[in-house]
Amino acid sequence: MFPETSRCVTAALSPFSKTAVLKELRRFFAHGGVCRLQPRRHFGVSRRLTAKVPPPRKPRERVPIPGLEMIDYGERMHYVPGLAKPVNPDWEKDFKDPRYYKSPPPDKMPLSKEKPCYVFNQRSSLLEGVPQALCLTKTKLIPGLPPQLLSAVENPANQIPDQDERVQNAIKHARFWDTTEERPDKTKYSNTLLNNLMHLCATLQSSHPAIGRRMLAEKCSLAATWKRGEDLFQIRGQNSLLHSCMDPLPVVSGKEEVAETADHVMQSLYPVSPTIDLQKIYVYKEEMNNTGFRDDYPYPHVHTLYILDGDDTNFSLRREQFRAKILMFAFGNALARAHKLYGTQPQHVLDCPITVQAVGTNGRIFQFLVFQLNTTDFSGDDGIKNQAWLDEDAELYDFAKVRPLIKKKQVKVPAGLAGYKPEIFNKFLAMYLHGAV
Amino acid sequence: MALSCLTRALRSLTVSQNTLLSSQCELGALVSTTVAQCRGFLTTASLEQNKTLWKQREKYTIKPIGMKKTGGRDHTGRIRTHGIGGGHKQRYRWIDFQRLHYEEGKEGKPFEEKVVEVRYDPCRSADIALVAGGSRKRWIIATENMQAGDTIKTSAVIGRMAVLANEGDAHPLGALPVGTLVNNLEIQPGKGSEYIRAAGTSGVLLRKVNGTAIVQLPSKQQVQVHETCIVTVGRVSNIDHNKEIIGKAGRNRWFGVRPSSGLWQRKGGWAGRKIKPLPAMKNYVNLPSITAQ
């Protein structure tokens, strides 16, 4: 067929100017013309090829009339005018071939359910931010970190020798020295900075042996399910960096404070529903709870979650949405652990509240969070609530510029590290040493 | 012999899948082969333009959609409208003109929405507002004093007494007091607003007459529409749009307006101020006529 068709094309070209048709076709391919499997027949040779093509006519719809049987020409094996076109049943292979497998539509999948489930994943950006996350997790927010955490660092025995200088070196390494180009990417320098700061904190292991009973894990997956009011929620995703410990974190607030949270009134998000910006799915596994580790993992208790902005997504969240993400993932880890310890039935009060810490950073600004899970009963807005201590927008340094910012021949911001704040690293160290002091 | 030529020609006219492979070949290679005595046919695949593919999205989204500029050209490729072309690249934000768009599962009840942000829209003169209600977000045309954090109400209820309308709320015409300034007028109930959407415009509700309402459009033309048509209360945002001075030819080019021909042409009867009576009121309500049998 090949040589014949090519001969036929040249015959088409010869009657009138070859160049005109070739030009049209070439221009057409440059545009990237859409290819269909069946080429369109072209008998006329003197019309524009790039005119609008009328859309393909849909075949006539067959309407089955009950009681009437369509006589088709299938048995006669040739077309007979007047008889109907035979309809052949869809043929499917009797074995499952992975090369030609088409998944069923969502409503026919085996796990599909009638009630939807709202999923929070790493890419979710909640519209209302932290208030929406508090509403979903039935939490009371306390601004500022708990004082007993910060008091631990004031003791000079808990500080690193040459702390300021070493931290500034760590920042300079992450922002200036770690690249062959002019400046490193944000994801790269935030990652390097976090690793450097954690390494600095870990140098205290000689004086604090409890630090040795911890383990770091990257990108472990998390799944937790809970029912808030009428709706089912799930949190699914991967934690950026998980610091887990052999011993659980000490409880931050005592039983009286926990009981006092019952009087706290949750903020209403009306007219926005708490399910906004969450992924709504109808195909899910109920009771999906997974800490990411097996039962015999030697470091089962989650100590701190380190979340980097833009690490697992190719976009970075705004600060409010980032804080909400940290809160949700801390809650998810705590809830998965609670479900494992106490079972999936809602517990009004946990005997031993589970404490989880979280640190989020975008390379310069840190968000510190301590989350305490007091209850797994999320049916109403009353009763004991969970607690979260949040320290927002802690800037470790103001500027780390490769080239100085000069406006009207005056240096506004010099090159190098500017505006370093040592107290932010103290908070970081405090959160690291919590439980090991 | 003639018969064999004819059969060869007819055989060559059949279309098969081999033509798909040949379309991948170099065009130049085809020219070099010898000519046969048969009419040709096109071996390339169907030549479809994707000029309006960006508009064919079915699912609503708040994400701005990349647009293809037409330059005033129609599907044949010739200029249908002069003076359009160039200009800054624009992305289309899909506005939900049907203000009374119920969420899934919550039909029939009046609902409230919160204004998340009010921003400039390159595709129109008015500003647009991102509103969130329930579990969905949508873009609507913003009214004059709409700010982030406001709550706006949409309802389809026509009570016996007229509602005290707040700016930005949407009600049926039958529920509003006579004399309110309205915008985003629906001509047919449920169709979506098609009138009074430009910056700073507003219509006036003149009368309510058994089941219909008469609204004066910004062009002083009066229309009679069904009283269940939803309108928004207030003036459209960006009220100083008509006072804006373009300043230079370049700014017009940024808007995508190409220069008109500089040729001086004698103006005919169409030019000049016309003083004529207002056109008759347009009736969009399908009232049964008395003469119908």
Side-chain angles (χ1 to χ4, degrees):
Chain A
M1 208 52 199
F2 239 129
E4 272 193 63
T5 53
S6 50
R7 259 183 280 136
C8 296
V9 169
T10 48
L13 298 176
S14 53
F16 76 122
S17 117
K18 283 182 225 179
T19 43
V21 175
L22 278 178
K23 244 194 242 176
E24 289 241 4
L25 289 177
R26 207 172 278 129
R27 199 191 320 144
F28 209 72
F29 279 128
H31 270 293
V34 174
C35 280
R36 273 209 223 127
L37 276 174
Q38 288 300 321
R40 193 159 49 96
R41 297 155 79 118
H42 170 229
F43 293 126
V45 294
S46 52
R47 56 176 279 277
R48 278 193 66 168
L49 297 171
T50 48
K52 181 177 175 177
V53 176
R57 281 204 332 247
K58 305 243 169 39
R60 193 192 295 172
E61 200 187 306
R62 299 178 73 100
V63 178
I65 304 170
L68 277 183
E69 192 193 307
M70 302 276 266
I71 302 177
D72 49 37
Y73 54 81
E75 285 165 357
R76 302 197 200 190
M77 303 295 273
H78 64 95
Y79 174 71
V80 173
L83 293 187
K85 189 171 176 186
V87 172
N88 298 318
D90 291 330
W91 174 77
E92 278 169 21
K93 281 188 180 165
D94 31 334
F95 62 94
K96 187 189 164 196
D97 189 351
R99 286 193 302 165
Y100 304 104
Y101 174 67
K102 269 205 175 119
S103 57
D107 40 321
K108 292 199 179 52
M109 287 189 183
L111 285 176
S112 90
K113 306 194 173 41
E114 282 179 11
K115 204 167 162 221
C117 174
Y118 299 94
V119 174
F120 183 92
N121 50 36
Q122 297 119 276
R123 294 176 60 93
S124 305
S125 166
L126 297 180
L127 178 76
E128 292 284 324
V130 174
Q132 188 179 350
L134 295 174
C135 179
L136 285 174
T137 57
K138 199 176 171 186
T139 312
K140 178 183 171 188
L141 181 72
I142 302 153
L145 286 177
Q148 64 256 48
L149 204 76
L150 299 169
S151 58
V153 191
E154 266 129 51
N155 188 356
N158 295 336
Q159 289 177 3
I160 304 167
D162 294 330
Q163 184 173 305
D164 287 344
E165 196 197 316
R166 290 179 80 174
V167 173
Q168 282 176 323
N169 276 344
I171 301 171
K172 284 176 192 170
H173 171 239
R175 289 300 297 255
F176 305 126
W177 305 333
D178 192 25
T179 175
T180 52
E181 294 160 0
E182 208 180 85
R183 58 166 68 86
D185 283 336
K186 191 170 189 178
T187 46
K188 188 170 183 192
Y189 75 66
S190 57
N191 203 17
T192 322
L193 180 65
L194 192 65
N195 285 336
N196 288 350
L197 293 179
M198 284 178 58
H199 180 83
L200 271 180
C201 299
T203 53
L204 281 175
Q205 190 176 340
S206 46
S207 50
H208 300 79
I211 296 176
R213 293 164 63 81
R214 293 186 191 170
M215 178 55 73
L216 212 57
E218 265 189 72
K219 288 197 183 164
C220 39
S221 37
L222 169 73
T225 320
W226 75 102
K227 202 165 174 197
R228 179 92 168 98
E230 294 290 322
D231 309 308
L232 197 63
F233 291 94
Q234 271 192 14
I235 179 163
R236 307 281 289 267
Q238 288 182 338
N239 303 312
S240 297
L241 258 166
L242 190 67
H243 217 122
S244 40
C245 193
M246 283 185 184
D247 325 304
L249 268 175
V251 172
V252 177
S253 72
K255 288 219 181 330
E256 300 85 28
E257 288 178 38
V258 167
E260 271 172 14
T261 59
D263 304 325
H264 173 72
V265 175
M266 302 280 312
Q267 185 191 358
S268 161
L269 299 168
Y270 183 79
V272 169
S273 144
T275 56
I276 202 170
D277 280 337
L278 293 176
Q279 186 188 8
K280 187 171 174 180
I281 50 172
Y282 288 89
V283 179
Y284 56 92
K285 244 191 224 176
E286 280 171 358
E287 306 298 336
M288 182 86 190
N289 288 299
N290 182 15
T291 50
F293 299 100
R294 282 207 286 242
D295 289 334
D296 54 352
Y297 186 53
Y299 308 91
H301 300 100
V302 172
H303 185 273
T304 321
L305 209 65
Y306 295 98
I307 299 182
L308 291 169
D309 193 16
D311 191 32
D312 37 11
T313 56
N314 49 2
F315 54 85
S316 57
L317 295 167
R318 277 169 283 153
R319 292 188 204 173
E320 186 71 16
Q321 277 69 31
F322 186 51
R323 286 193 281 269
K325 179 179 173 179
I326 298 168
L327 187 79
M328 293 297 292
F329 272 97
F331 167 77
N333 275 298
L335 190 69
R337 183 85 192 125
H339 280 314
K340 193 170 264 190
L341 285 178
Y342 299 101
T344 52
Q345 287 304 313
Q347 309 268 333
H348 188 61
V349 170
L350 298 179
D351 304 320
C352 193
I354 299 172
T355 316
V356 168
Q357 291 180 154
V359 173
T361 176
N362 72 344
R364 185 174 79 91
I365 301 173
F366 283 78
Q367 326 277 354
F368 298 110
L369 174 82
V370 180
F371 186 87
Q372 182 170 315
L373 189 75
N374 298 322
T375 170
T376 52
D377 180 16
F378 302 105
S379 46
D381 273 348
D382 46 353
I384 298 205
K385 300 175 182 53
N386 308 315
Q387 288 163 302
W389 289 262
L390 181 63
D391 194 359
E392 318 186 325
D393 287 346
E395 297 176 352
L396 187 57
Y397 52 92
D398 284 333
F399 297 100
K401 291 195 103 51
V402 172
R403 285 161 159 259
L405 179 70
I406 297 175
K407 291 271 186 199
K408 292 190 184 166
K409 294 190 188 170
Q410 281 185 347
V411 176
K412 297 286 178 200
V413 180
L417 188 63
Y420 167 66
K421 293 183 185 65
E423 54 271 8
I424 310 298
F425 183 71
N426 279 339
K427 287 185 196 172
F428 188 91
L429 189 60
M431 296 198 63
Y432 192 90
L433 290 176
H434 188 208
V437 162
Chain B
M1 197 271 215
L3 190 61
S4 63
C5 283
L6 182 65
T7 47
R8 199 181 339 125
L10 284 172
R11 203 187 314 128
S12 68
L13 284 174
T14 56
V15 172
S16 75
Q17 285 180 1
N18 285 335
T19 53
L20 193 64
L21 295 168
S22 63
S23 65
Q24 316 281 341
C25 306
E26 272 292 328
L27 287 173
L30 300 168
V31 184
S32 57
T33 49
T34 53
V35 175
Q37 291 169 5
C38 48
R39 249 179 127 208
F41 63 95
L42 189 69
T43 56
T44 54
S46 77
L47 309 172
E48 270 180 15
Q49 295 278 337
N50 57 352
K51 277 188 189 141
T52 54
L53 254 175
W54 67 270
K55 288 194 217 177
Q56 305 306 329
R57 198 195 155 99
E58 277 152 15
K59 189 165 176 223
Y60 182 81
T61 176
I62 56 164
K63 195 171 75 119
I65 306 170
M67 265 185 6
K68 261 194 160 56
K69 286 187 193 265
T70 63
R73 270 85 180 162
D74 64 3
H75 65 280
T76 58
R78 300 194 174 192
I79 298 182
R80 177 76 77 92
T81 310
H82 289 276
I84 301 180
H88 198 284
K89 215 167 192 170
Q90 294 174 350
R91 283 193 296 174
Y92 176 66
R93 281 135 184 106
W94 192 332
I95 310 282
D96 191 3
F97 287 112
Q98 193 182 358
R99 181 67 187 265
L100 189 74
H101 196 160
Y102 291 116
E103 218 186 324
E104 261 182 40
K106 293 184 194 165
E107 278 95 16
K109 288 173 272 192
F111 56 94
E112 289 193 349
E113 283 166 311
K114 182 180 159 189
V115 176
V116 175
E117 73 165 319
V118 177
R119 60 158 290 159
Y120 172 80
D121 190 9
C123 305
R124 63 197 76 248
S125 54
D127 290 337
I128 53 173
L130 180 66
V131 301
S135 336
R136 58 122 191 235
K137 291 183 277 195
R138 58 189 182 142
W139 290 107
I140 61 167
I141 304 271
T143 56
E144 193 184 343
N145 296 320
M146 215 183 245
Q147 274 153 32
D150 292 349
T151 310
I152 53 179
K153 193 173 160 192
T154 313
S155 89
V157 167
I158 306 179
R160 213 164 52 84
M161 287 216 354
V163 174
L164 181 67
N166 293 318
E167 197 203 307
D169 291 349
H171 294 277
L173 279 166
L176 292 172
V178 167
T180 37
L181 293 179
V182 296
N183 62 70
N184 284 72
L185 174 67
E186 267 184 353
I187 289 295
Q188 291 170 14
K191 195 175 179 195
S193 60
E194 285 166 350
Y195 289 74
I196 323 178
R197 301 180 344 193
T201 51
S202 60
V204 181
L205 180 57
L206 293 176
R207 321 206 286 278
K208 289 193 276 191
V209 170
N210 66 323
T212 67
I214 296 172
V215 178
Q216 179 180 280
L217 301 180
S219 60
K220 310 285 191 305
Q221 153 88 311
Q222 296 182 357
V223 281
Q224 184 170 21
V225 292
H226 202 270
E227 67 170 2
T228 51
C229 292
I230 303 289
V231 282
T232 328
V233 178
R235 286 177 73 181
V236 182
S237 53
N238 200 9
I239 48 176
D240 294 328
H241 175 72
N242 58 349
K243 299 189 184 72
E244 182 190 338
I245 301 174
I246 305 280
K248 57 178 191 176
R251 183 166 285 128
N252 245 343
R253 298 304 299 269
W254 301 341
F255 289 134
V257 176
R258 282 184 63 219
S260 43
S261 97
L263 182 68
W264 181 88
Q265 296 172 15
R266 160 72 49 198
K267 294 197 199 300
W270 57 269
R273 185 173 174 191
K274 304 276 181 288
I275 299 171
K276 49 180 186 165
L278 273 182
M281 186 171 71
K282 183 93 176 107
N283 193 335
Y284 286 102
V285 181
N286 300 331
L287 285 174
S289 65
I290 304 163
T291 55
Q293 296 298 326

